[in-house]
Amino acid sequence: MFVKRVCVVVILFCTMCLGFITGEAINVLSKTDPGIQAVRLLYSFETPEDLVKQLAQLEPMLTKDVAEQLTMDDSRTVDVYYKFKYQRSSVKIEFVEGTTVYYRLINDNIDPDKLWVFDYELDADGKICKVEEFETKVCGIDG
Amino acid sequence: MGNIRFIVASIISVCVVLISCFGLLSISHGEEWDGDLNTGKEVLTCMAEEDLDSLLKYMSPEMISTVEVNLGKNPLFQSGKDPKIQFLREENGYIEFIVLDGATPVYPKWSFRFKTVDGKISAYELYRLRTLDTRSEEYTEAF
Protein backbone atom coordinates (compact mmCIF):
# COMPACT_ATOMS: atom_id res chain seq x y z
CA MET A 1 0.00 0.00 0.00
CA PHE A 2 2.82 2.33 1.01
CA VAL A 3 4.71 1.63 -2.21
CA LYS A 4 1.59 2.48 -4.24
CA ARG A 5 1.21 5.81 -2.49
CA VAL A 6 4.87 6.59 -3.04
CA CYS A 7 4.48 5.78 -6.72
CA VAL A 8 1.43 8.05 -7.06
CA VAL A 9 3.37 10.87 -5.41
CA VAL A 10 6.36 10.22 -7.70
CA ILE A 11 4.12 10.31 -10.78
CA LEU A 12 2.51 13.58 -9.69
CA PHE A 13 5.91 15.04 -8.88
CA CYS A 14 7.35 14.04 -12.26
CA THR A 15 4.39 15.54 -14.09
CA MET A 16 4.72 18.81 -12.18
CA CYS A 17 8.47 18.88 -12.80
CA LEU A 18 7.92 18.33 -16.50
CA GLY A 19 5.41 21.17 -16.66
CA PHE A 20 7.79 23.44 -14.79
CA ILE A 21 10.78 22.51 -16.94
CA THR A 22 8.80 22.98 -20.16
CA GLY A 23 7.51 26.38 -19.01
CA GLU A 24 10.96 27.49 -17.98
CA ALA A 25 12.52 26.23 -21.21
CA ILE A 26 10.03 28.21 -23.28
CA ASN A 27 10.61 31.22 -21.08
CA VAL A 28 14.40 30.99 -21.33
CA LEU A 29 14.28 30.46 -25.09
CA SER A 30 12.09 33.52 -25.64
CA LYS A 31 14.18 35.60 -23.25
CA THR A 32 17.39 34.78 -25.05
CA ASP A 33 16.08 36.06 -28.38
CA PRO A 34 17.17 39.70 -28.41
CA GLY A 35 14.42 40.65 -30.86
CA ILE A 36 11.63 39.24 -28.70
CA GLN A 37 13.21 40.79 -25.63
CA ALA A 38 13.43 44.18 -27.34
CA VAL A 39 9.84 44.09 -28.58
CA ARG A 40 8.57 43.19 -25.11
CA LEU A 41 10.63 45.92 -23.46
CA LEU A 42 9.41 48.48 -25.99
CA TYR A 43 5.71 47.67 -26.08
CA SER A 44 4.63 45.54 -23.13
CA PHE A 45 3.92 47.59 -20.01
CA GLU A 46 1.38 48.31 -17.31
CA THR A 47 2.33 51.87 -16.38
CA PRO A 48 4.60 54.62 -17.74
CA GLU A 49 6.98 53.86 -14.88
CA ASP A 50 7.32 50.30 -16.20
CA LEU A 51 8.12 51.69 -19.60
CA VAL A 52 10.82 53.99 -18.23
CA LYS A 53 12.44 51.06 -16.43
CA GLN A 54 12.18 48.85 -19.48
CA LEU A 55 13.73 51.42 -21.80
CA ALA A 56 16.62 51.68 -19.34
CA GLN A 57 16.94 47.89 -19.50
CA LEU A 58 16.84 47.94 -23.27
CA GLU A 59 19.36 50.71 -23.85
CA PRO A 60 22.48 48.63 -23.05
CA MET A 61 21.31 46.09 -25.61
CA LEU A 62 21.46 48.72 -28.38
CA THR A 63 24.27 50.50 -30.14
CA LYS A 64 24.35 54.26 -29.72
CA ASP A 65 22.95 54.86 -33.21
CA VAL A 66 20.03 52.52 -32.70
CA ALA A 67 19.27 53.99 -29.29
CA GLU A 68 19.16 57.38 -30.98
CA GLN A 69 16.99 56.05 -33.80
CA LEU A 70 14.52 54.61 -31.31
CA THR A 71 14.63 57.84 -29.27
CA MET A 72 15.38 56.03 -26.05
CA ASP A 73 14.52 58.87 -23.72
CA ASP A 74 11.57 60.32 -21.84
CA SER A 75 10.00 61.59 -25.05
CA ARG A 76 9.59 58.01 -26.21
CA THR A 77 7.79 57.07 -23.01
CA VAL A 78 5.41 59.99 -23.46
CA ASP A 79 4.92 59.24 -27.16
CA VAL A 80 4.27 55.54 -26.67
CA TYR A 81 1.95 56.09 -23.74
CA TYR A 82 0.07 58.71 -25.75
CA LYS A 83 -0.15 56.47 -28.81
CA PHE A 84 -1.45 53.64 -26.68
CA LYS A 85 -4.08 56.00 -25.23
CA TYR A 86 -2.84 55.67 -21.66
CA GLN A 87 -3.72 52.01 -21.53
CA ARG A 88 -1.54 49.10 -20.58
CA SER A 89 -0.27 47.03 -23.43
CA SER A 90 1.13 43.61 -24.02
CA VAL A 91 2.83 41.88 -26.88
CA LYS A 92 1.83 38.62 -28.50
CA ILE A 93 4.65 37.15 -30.53
CA GLU A 94 3.15 35.54 -33.62
CA PHE A 95 6.27 34.11 -35.21
CA VAL A 96 9.97 34.74 -35.59
CA GLU A 97 11.88 34.31 -38.83
CA GLY A 98 15.59 34.59 -38.08
CA THR A 99 16.04 38.17 -36.92
CA THR A 100 12.51 39.26 -37.84
CA VAL A 101 9.86 39.25 -35.14
CA TYR A 102 6.19 39.37 -36.12
CA TYR A 103 3.94 40.40 -33.25
CA ARG A 104 0.55 41.81 -32.29
CA LEU A 105 -0.13 44.52 -29.76
CA ILE A 106 -2.78 43.75 -27.18
CA ASN A 107 -4.20 47.11 -26.24
CA ASP A 108 -7.81 48.33 -26.10
CA ASN A 109 -7.02 51.08 -28.62
CA ILE A 110 -5.03 49.15 -31.18
CA ASP A 111 -6.47 46.84 -33.78
CA PRO A 112 -5.53 43.35 -32.55
CA ASP A 113 -5.58 42.06 -36.12
CA LYS A 114 -2.72 44.33 -37.10
CA LEU A 115 0.57 42.56 -37.36
CA TRP A 116 3.77 44.45 -36.62
CA VAL A 117 7.33 43.62 -37.53
CA PHE A 118 10.59 44.26 -35.69
CA ASP A 119 13.60 43.51 -37.86
CA TYR A 120 17.06 43.74 -36.34
CA GLU A 121 20.74 42.95 -36.79
CA LEU A 122 23.33 42.16 -34.14
CA ASP A 123 26.92 43.38 -34.14
CA ALA A 124 29.96 41.39 -33.01
CA ASP A 125 29.32 42.42 -29.39
CA GLY A 126 25.79 41.02 -29.52
CA LYS A 127 24.25 44.49 -29.49
CA ILE A 128 21.34 45.40 -31.73
CA CYS A 129 23.02 47.54 -34.37
CA LYS A 130 20.20 47.96 -36.88
CA VAL A 131 16.46 48.13 -36.41
CA GLU A 132 13.65 48.47 -38.89
CA GLU A 133 10.04 48.50 -37.76
CA PHE A 134 7.14 47.79 -40.06
CA GLU A 135 3.40 47.79 -40.04
CA THR A 136 2.03 44.96 -42.17
CA LYS A 137 -0.90 44.77 -44.44
CA VAL A 138 -2.10 41.24 -44.96
CA CYS A 139 -2.58 40.60 -48.65
CA GLY A 140 -3.52 36.97 -48.50
CA ILE A 141 -3.74 34.14 -46.06
CA ASP A 142 -4.85 30.87 -47.53
CA GLY A 143 -4.76 27.31 -46.44
CA MET B 1 5.55 -9.79 -6.79
CA GLY B 2 2.49 -7.52 -6.84
CA ASN B 3 4.62 -4.59 -5.76
CA ILE B 4 7.14 -5.17 -8.51
CA ARG B 5 4.34 -5.21 -11.08
CA PHE B 6 2.98 -2.01 -9.65
CA ILE B 7 6.39 -0.33 -9.74
CA VAL B 8 6.88 -1.40 -13.36
CA ALA B 9 3.39 -0.15 -14.20
CA SER B 10 4.16 3.15 -12.47
CA ILE B 11 7.39 3.61 -14.39
CA ILE B 12 5.56 2.90 -17.63
CA SER B 13 2.86 5.41 -16.62
CA VAL B 14 5.48 8.07 -15.95
CA CYS B 15 7.06 7.39 -19.32
CA VAL B 16 3.66 7.64 -21.03
CA VAL B 17 2.94 10.95 -19.29
CA LEU B 18 6.35 12.31 -20.29
CA ILE B 19 6.02 11.15 -23.89
CA SER B 20 2.47 12.57 -24.10
CA CYS B 21 3.66 15.93 -22.78
CA PHE B 22 6.52 16.06 -25.25
CA GLY B 23 4.12 14.98 -27.97
CA LEU B 24 1.75 17.80 -27.12
CA LEU B 25 4.64 20.21 -27.00
CA SER B 26 5.90 19.13 -30.39
CA ILE B 27 2.37 19.47 -31.82
CA SER B 28 2.10 23.02 -30.50
CA HIS B 29 5.45 23.85 -32.09
CA GLY B 30 4.98 21.57 -35.04
CA GLU B 31 3.35 24.00 -37.40
CA GLU B 32 6.44 24.33 -39.50
CA TRP B 33 6.46 26.90 -42.25
CA ASP B 34 9.31 25.35 -44.15
CA GLY B 35 7.98 25.20 -47.69
CA ASP B 36 10.27 24.49 -50.61
CA LEU B 37 12.12 27.68 -51.50
CA ASN B 38 12.07 27.21 -55.27
CA THR B 39 8.31 26.63 -55.26
CA GLY B 40 7.84 29.77 -53.18
CA LYS B 41 9.91 31.85 -55.59
CA GLU B 42 8.09 30.46 -58.62
CA VAL B 43 4.73 31.24 -57.04
CA LEU B 44 5.69 34.82 -56.30
CA THR B 45 6.96 35.29 -59.84
CA CYS B 46 3.69 33.88 -61.21
CA MET B 47 1.70 36.22 -58.97
CA ALA B 48 3.65 39.29 -60.04
CA GLU B 49 3.44 38.34 -63.71
CA GLU B 50 -0.29 37.60 -63.39
CA ASP B 51 0.33 34.15 -64.79
CA LEU B 52 -2.67 32.37 -63.31
CA ASP B 53 -2.24 29.12 -65.24
CA SER B 54 1.31 28.60 -64.00
CA LEU B 55 0.37 29.75 -60.52
CA LEU B 56 -2.31 27.12 -60.17
CA LYS B 57 0.19 24.43 -61.13
CA TYR B 58 2.09 25.22 -57.95
CA MET B 59 -0.96 25.10 -55.72
CA SER B 60 -2.24 22.02 -53.93
CA PRO B 61 -5.76 20.94 -54.99
CA GLU B 62 -7.25 22.33 -51.76
CA MET B 63 -5.67 25.72 -52.42
CA ILE B 64 -6.75 26.19 -56.02
CA SER B 65 -10.29 27.37 -55.35
CA THR B 66 -9.28 29.79 -52.58
CA VAL B 67 -6.44 31.18 -54.66
CA GLU B 68 -8.73 31.86 -57.61
CA VAL B 69 -11.27 33.56 -55.37
CA ASN B 70 -8.72 35.65 -53.50
CA LEU B 71 -6.49 36.74 -56.35
CA GLY B 72 -8.60 39.80 -56.98
CA LYS B 73 -7.61 41.02 -53.51
CA ASN B 74 -3.95 40.24 -54.03
CA PRO B 75 -2.10 43.46 -54.91
CA LEU B 76 0.94 41.52 -55.98
CA PHE B 77 -1.18 40.18 -58.81
CA GLN B 78 -1.64 43.69 -60.17
CA SER B 79 1.76 45.08 -59.47
CA GLY B 80 2.48 46.78 -62.76
CA LYS B 81 3.02 46.24 -66.44
CA ASP B 82 6.45 44.71 -66.20
CA PRO B 83 7.04 43.81 -62.58
CA LYS B 84 10.31 42.30 -61.47
CA ILE B 85 10.79 40.63 -58.13
CA GLN B 86 14.03 41.18 -56.30
CA PHE B 87 14.51 38.70 -53.49
CA LEU B 88 16.03 40.12 -50.32
CA ARG B 89 15.91 37.09 -48.09
CA GLU B 90 15.33 33.53 -49.18
CA GLU B 91 14.76 30.66 -46.82
CA ASN B 92 12.65 27.55 -46.95
CA GLY B 93 9.17 28.72 -45.94
CA TYR B 94 9.99 32.43 -45.83
CA ILE B 95 10.87 34.97 -48.51
CA GLU B 96 11.31 38.72 -48.27
CA PHE B 97 11.28 40.67 -51.51
CA ILE B 98 10.62 43.93 -53.24
CA VAL B 99 8.71 44.41 -56.46
CA LEU B 100 10.25 46.61 -59.08
CA ASP B 101 8.00 48.01 -61.76
CA GLY B 102 10.55 49.55 -64.05
CA ALA B 103 12.80 51.22 -61.51
CA THR B 104 10.13 52.20 -59.01
CA PRO B 105 9.60 50.01 -55.97
CA VAL B 106 5.86 49.42 -55.73
CA TYR B 107 5.93 48.95 -51.97
CA PRO B 108 8.84 49.03 -49.50
CA LYS B 109 9.00 45.35 -48.75
CA TRP B 110 6.91 42.21 -48.91
CA SER B 111 7.12 38.94 -47.07
CA PHE B 112 5.78 35.54 -48.04
CA ARG B 113 5.46 32.67 -45.60
CA PHE B 114 4.44 29.32 -46.94
CA LYS B 115 4.13 25.58 -46.55
CA THR B 116 4.47 23.01 -49.31
CA VAL B 117 3.35 19.42 -49.67
CA ASP B 118 4.84 17.43 -52.54
CA GLY B 119 6.19 20.58 -54.15
CA LYS B 120 2.86 22.42 -54.06
CA ILE B 121 1.80 25.27 -51.83
CA SER B 122 -0.55 24.06 -49.10
CA ALA B 123 -0.76 27.32 -47.13
CA TYR B 124 0.62 30.79 -47.46
CA GLU B 125 0.60 34.24 -45.91
CA LEU B 126 1.52 37.31 -47.94
CA TYR B 127 2.31 40.60 -46.22
CA ARG B 128 3.14 44.10 -47.40
CA LEU B 129 5.45 45.84 -44.99
CA ARG B 130 5.22 49.58 -44.46
CA THR B 131 8.23 51.14 -42.80
CA LEU B 132 7.64 52.80 -39.47
CA ASP B 133 9.97 55.62 -38.66
CA THR B 134 9.73 56.18 -34.93
CA ARG B 135 10.39 59.88 -35.41
CA SER B 136 7.86 60.51 -38.13
CA GLU B 137 4.25 61.64 -37.88
CA GLU B 138 3.25 58.51 -39.78
CA TYR B 139 4.49 56.43 -36.90
CA THR B 140 1.96 58.06 -34.63
CA GLU B 141 -0.79 57.58 -37.18
CA ALA B 142 0.02 53.90 -37.61
CA PHE B 143 -1.12 53.20 -34.09
Side-chain angles (χ1 to χ4, degrees), chain A residues 44-60:
Chain A
S44 184
F45 57 86
E46 294 273 334
T47 64
E49 290 76 24
D50 288 346
L51 196 53
V52 171
K53 283 181 202 158
Q54 287 170 202
L55 294 182
Q57 269 178 271
L58 178 62
E59 202 160 357

Side-chain angles (χ1 to χ4, degrees), chain B residues 51-70:
Chain B
D51 183 356
L52 181 60
D53 291 339
S54 302
L55 178 64
L56 293 180
K57 284 179 197 160
Y58 290 106
M59 293 289 166
S60 67
E62 308 81 58
M63 289 289 290
I64 288 175
S65 57
T66 55
V67 167
E68 280 180 311
V69 169
N70 289 334

Side-chain angles (χ1 to χ4, degrees), chain A residues 1 3-5 7-8 10-11 14-15 18 22 26 43 68-71 76 79-80 82-85 94-100 102-105 109-110 114-117 119 132-143, chain B residues 3 6-7 9-10 13-14 17-19 21-22 25 29 33 63 66-67 70 73-76 89 91-94 96 107-113 122-135 139-143:
Chain A
M1 196 62 186
V3 176
K4 284 183 184 176
R5 281 185 187 158
C7 288
V8 169
V10 168
I11 291 170
C14 287
T15 311
L18 184 75
T22 308
I26 291 169
Y43 298 117
E68 198 176 300
Q69 178 198 336
L70 295 176
T71 54
R76 183 177 180 100
D79 277 358
V80 170
Y82 165 71
K83 282 165 207 159
F84 287 43
K85 306 268 168 50
E94 284 297 323
F95 59 94
V96 180
E97 290 290 346
T99 55
T100 307
Y102 285 76
Y103 63 96
R104 288 183 206 283
L105 293 168
N109 301 296
I110 293 174
K114 263 194 182 181
L115 198 58
W116 306 86
V117 177
D119 203 2
E132 277 186 291
E133 291 188 90
F134 301 96
E135 175 194 2
T136 68
K137 185 168 172 55
V138 180
C139 301
I141 293 187
D142 288 313
Chain B
N3 277 348
F6 187 78
I7 290 168
S10 301
S13 305
V14 170
V17 169
L18 293 177
I19 291 166
C21 290
F22 279 116
L25 196 66
H29 286 81
W33 291 77
M63 289 289 290
T66 55
V67 167
N70 289 334
K73 300 176 204 160
N74 183 342
L76 184 55
R89 194 161 133 196
E91 291 163 22
N92 279 341
Y94 185 77
E96 280 180 11
Y107 219 79
K109 194 157 82 167
W110 302 65
S111 68
F112 184 65
R113 196 172 174 235
S122 60
Y124 76 86
E125 296 176 358
L126 180 65
Y127 301 104
R128 278 194 297 186
L129 307 186
R130 190 174 74 138
T131 308
L132 283 182
D133 180 349
T134 51
R135 285 166 294 192
Y139 180 71
T140 311
E141 284 165 17
F143 291 95

Side-chain angles (χ1 to χ4, degrees), chain B residues 59-122:
Chain B
M59 293 289 166
S60 67
E62 308 81 58
M63 289 289 290
I64 288 175
S65 57
T66 55
V67 167
E68 280 180 311
V69 169
N70 289 334
L71 269 182
K73 300 176 204 160
N74 183 342
L76 184 55
F77 208 70
Q78 301 115 20
S79 46
K81 284 180 183 166
D82 184 23
K84 293 276 179 288
I85 288 187
Q86 188 179 318
F87 297 106
L88 304 175
R89 194 161 133 196
E90 305 170 26
E91 291 163 22
N92 279 341
Y94 185 77
I95 297 171
E96 280 180 11
F97 61 99
I98 51 175
V99 183
L100 301 172
D101 184 8
T104 315
V106 173
Y107 219 79
K109 194 157 82 167
W110 302 65
S111 68
F112 184 65
R113 196 172 174 235
F114 60 101
K115 298 177 187 179
T116 53
V117 175
D118 299 330
K120 290 178 187 285
I121 300 280
S122 60

